[in-house]
Amino acid sequence: MRSFGCQSMIAPLRSVLLKGPGEAFRSQEHLEAEWERFGYLECPNYATALEEYEAFSAILRRHVDEVLFLPRDDDAGLDSIYTHDPVKITDRGAVLMNMGKPERRGEPAATGRYLEQLGIPLLGAITEPGRMDGGDVLWLDEETVALGRSYRTNDEGIRQFLDLAAPSIERHMTFDLPHDLGPEACLHLMSVASLVDSDLAVVYPPLMPVRLRQYLLERGYTLIDVPSGEYETLGSNVLAPAPRLCMLPAGNRTVAAALRHHGAEVHEYPGRHISYFGTGGPTCLTRPLLRRW
């Protein structure tokens, strides 16, 4: 029987689900027809995206036992390269999200079909009027979860998630996210806080909920503050395949140096076309299926 469960941001990543640009972007012609509708900053170059993704996935292959790939699905568009958001995996099974971005509404069901093939049970799906993105769910430990109330996640979505995920969650806290660039932009809780060890986090202070910052400090975290220029290049979106083993988009020199100063092993990948243009960093590009100590 397949092992699954991911109620941690830092426990060693044993199994991860990806979707490459070949399946999500499809072709240069498809990108040119769709990138503006999906709100990308620029149109990615398909050939370059393939090269960047190979570098990204090669790092994961070196550190993760099992790397799986979602197939192409007609219900999923460009953003399906960001496999984190459509589903959350608990120790009892998967909860399918109801995405706040209309162009992504088909992704949860498409991911759910693949998870069922893997033998991962589906606990249920968030339904209207509930809305929720996986990027608004931040595991603080295996029993405690922080939830972001944002333009992509509403109160009804949070209520349904907690019902479906019970009894896996013992404690939860909800934090309001600011307006920032408005409802068309993507701002998740995980956009402004990345846990990379039980006592180390990378955060972007200007958009971080005050109470979350206070809570992490109360728990003894050292916080690495991301400068504004590197927030724009996704420097606050750091993936930890294991404690203090970090992946982030290349070019975020201040963040990378600070992580290394605090004893982290840092792996940078070229991400202009697979991350920056679609505003999705390494956590967005990965759907952990199993994290286990």
Side-chain angles (χ1 to χ4, degrees):
M1 182 176 178
R2 170 176 291 275
S3 296
F4 61 87
C6 183
Q7 294 182 201
S8 171
M9 310 304 298
I10 61 169
L13 183 55
R14 309 296 187 182
S15 178
V16 67
L17 180 62
L18 308 179
K19 188 172 185 178
E23 289 66 43
F25 292 172
R26 304 190 182 190
S27 67
Q28 189 63 47
E29 293 73 21
H30 189 69
L31 279 166
E32 290 171 358
E34 293 284 279
W35 73 273
E36 289 181 294
R37 184 168 74 91
F38 276 82
Y40 280 41
L41 300 178
E42 294 183 32
C43 181
N45 179 278
Y46 182 69
T48 305
L50 292 174
E51 293 173 359
E52 290 182 351
Y53 201 84
E54 178 56 34
F56 171 79
S57 59
I59 297 170
L60 283 172
R61 289 190 185 98
R62 293 199 296 270
H63 297 284
V64 181
D65 296 334
E66 181 180 55
V67 179
L68 302 172
F69 289 86
L70 276 170
R72 182 178 298 187
D73 193 300
D74 289 338
D75 291 333
L78 303 187
D79 282 348
S80 61
I81 194 172
Y82 305 121
T83 55
H84 190 97
D85 290 325
V87 62
K88 298 302 287 190
I89 307 292
T90 75
D91 59 10
R92 296 174 52 249
V95 177
L96 303 183
M97 304 286 100
N98 189 21
M99 310 289 286
K101 185 176 181 178
E103 290 80 6
R104 303 195 70 179
R105 297 279 165 80
E107 291 180 40
T111 304
R113 290 190 288 270
Y114 185 78
L115 295 179
E116 287 185 302
Q117 293 176 18
L118 293 179
I120 296 176
L122 303 184
L123 299 177
I126 293 171
T127 59
E128 296 291 341
R131 289 268 189 266
M132 192 170 213
D133 279 13
D136 281 323
V137 182
L138 180 70
W139 297 103
L140 300 175
D141 57 46
E142 294 182 1
E143 293 82 32
T144 309
V145 66
L147 304 170
R149 185 190 291 108
S150 69
Y151 281 121
R152 302 290 174 91
T153 297
N154 62 18
D155 286 328
E156 176 59 17
I158 290 171
R159 185 196 67 78
Q160 291 185 34
F161 174 75
L162 292 172
D163 284 348
L164 291 168
S168 297
I169 298 169
E170 293 186 8
R171 295 172 296 277
H172 73 274
M173 293 170 284
T174 300
F175 301 94
D176 286 323
L177 288 168
H179 171 77
D180 190 32
L181 299 178
E184 300 305 318
C186 181
L187 178 63
H188 290 139
L189 191 62
M190 288 175 58
S191 302
V192 299
S194 296
L195 308 187
V196 298
D197 204 341
S198 59
D199 61 354
L200 185 64
V202 177
V203 301
Y204 182 56
L207 298 180
M208 187 181 189
V210 170
R211 183 64 191 116
L212 177 59
R213 185 178 182 88
Q214 292 172 333
Y215 180 80
L216 293 176
L217 291 172
E218 289 166 3
R219 288 183 58 147
Y221 275 79
T222 296
L223 302 183
I224 295 174
D225 290 343
V226 178
S228 294
E230 293 188 16
Y231 172 75
E232 299 298 328
T233 52
L234 308 179
S236 59
N237 192 298
V238 181
L239 175 68
R244 277 179 163 76
L245 174 64
C246 301
M247 293 178 63
L248 75 161
N252 294 292
R253 296 179 180 179
T254 304
V255 176
L259 284 166
R260 292 186 175 106
H261 174 76
H262 288 285
E265 178 183 337
V266 179
H267 296 268
E268 301 175 75
Y269 69 94
R272 185 167 176 80
H273 294 258
I274 61 172
S275 285
Y276 175 68
F277 289 164
T279 62
T283 59
C284 306
L285 287 165
T286 51
R287 167 30 53 207
L289 300 179
L290 178 65
R291 282 186 181 268
R292 177 172 292 173
W293 296 103

